């Protein structure tokens, strides 16, 4: 199983970016999916989560500005980021709880980070 994240870049404060993360490989099902971020010198933190049926949750720091969504047909999770602030600058990582067969237990997989820089 591989998770490929994309969509990061440089954006001015107040701008928007949309991150994508596509899971590929031997996948039977994907339960919860998440976006984490890690700023330089800081610990990785959970930003947003979405369940299989679309229930979402957000950290207080991004609530009202970020929206997580998913497209189950192509095993992809998205993060729409609006009203970006310099403190949102970080490497963003996707994470998915994947079952590779109907009989295996779900396992969490990580994508590579995609860098988001918010600066004027």
């Amino acid at each position: 199983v591989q998770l490929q994240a994309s969509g990061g870049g440089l954006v001015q404060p107040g701008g928007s970016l949309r991150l994508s993360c596509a899971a590929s490989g031997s996948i039977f099902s994907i339960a919860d999916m998440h976006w984490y971020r890690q700023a330089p010198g800081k610990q990785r933190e959970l930003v947003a989560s979405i369940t299989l049926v679309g229930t979402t949750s957000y950290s207080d720091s991004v609530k009202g500005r970020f929206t997580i969504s998913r497209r189950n047909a192509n095993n992809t999770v998205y993060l729409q980021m609006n009203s970006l602030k310099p403190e949102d600058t970080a490497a963003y990582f996707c994470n998915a709880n994947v079952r590779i067969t109907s009989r295996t237990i779900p396992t969490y997989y990580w994508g590579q980070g995609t860098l988001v820089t918010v600066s004027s």
Side-chain angles (χ1 to χ4, degrees):
V1 175
Q2 292 186 328
L3 273 64
Q4 181 69 44
S6 61
L10 173 64
V11 63
Q12 292 186 341
S16 298
L17 280 176
R18 189 189 194 211
L19 306 183
S20 300
C21 176
S24 62
S26 179
I27 297 172
F28 175 76
S29 66
I30 301 178
D32 44 303
M33 305 181 81
H34 312 271
W35 285 99
Y36 286 76
R37 69 185 180 187
Q38 186 167 18
K42 294 188 177 182
Q43 290 187 332
R44 190 171 296 189
E45 63 170 343
L46 178 62
V47 173
S49 301
I50 186 166
T51 67
L52 176 62
V53 297
T55 303
T56 60
S57 61
Y58 302 91
S59 67
D60 288 343
S61 61
V62 307
K63 197 172 296 182
R65 300 188 297 121
F66 290 11
T67 302
I68 188 171
S69 60
R70 63 189 287 172
R71 182 173 171 81
N72 293 329
N74 58 6
N75 294 325
T76 300
V77 62
Y78 305 95
L79 187 68
Q80 177 66 43
M81 305 185 295
N82 298 329
S83 303
L84 282 161
K85 304 175 181 180
E87 51 264 43
D88 295 317
T89 295
Y92 284 72
F93 299 86
C94 55
N95 176 262
N97 194 5
V98 179
R99 190 189 297 267
I100 61 173
T101 73
S102 62
R103 296 186 176 187
T104 55
I105 60 172
T107 302
Y108 282 99
Y109 292 86
W110 288 93
Q112 90 292 358
T114 184
L115 185 62
V116 172
T117 303
V118 184
S119 175
S120 54

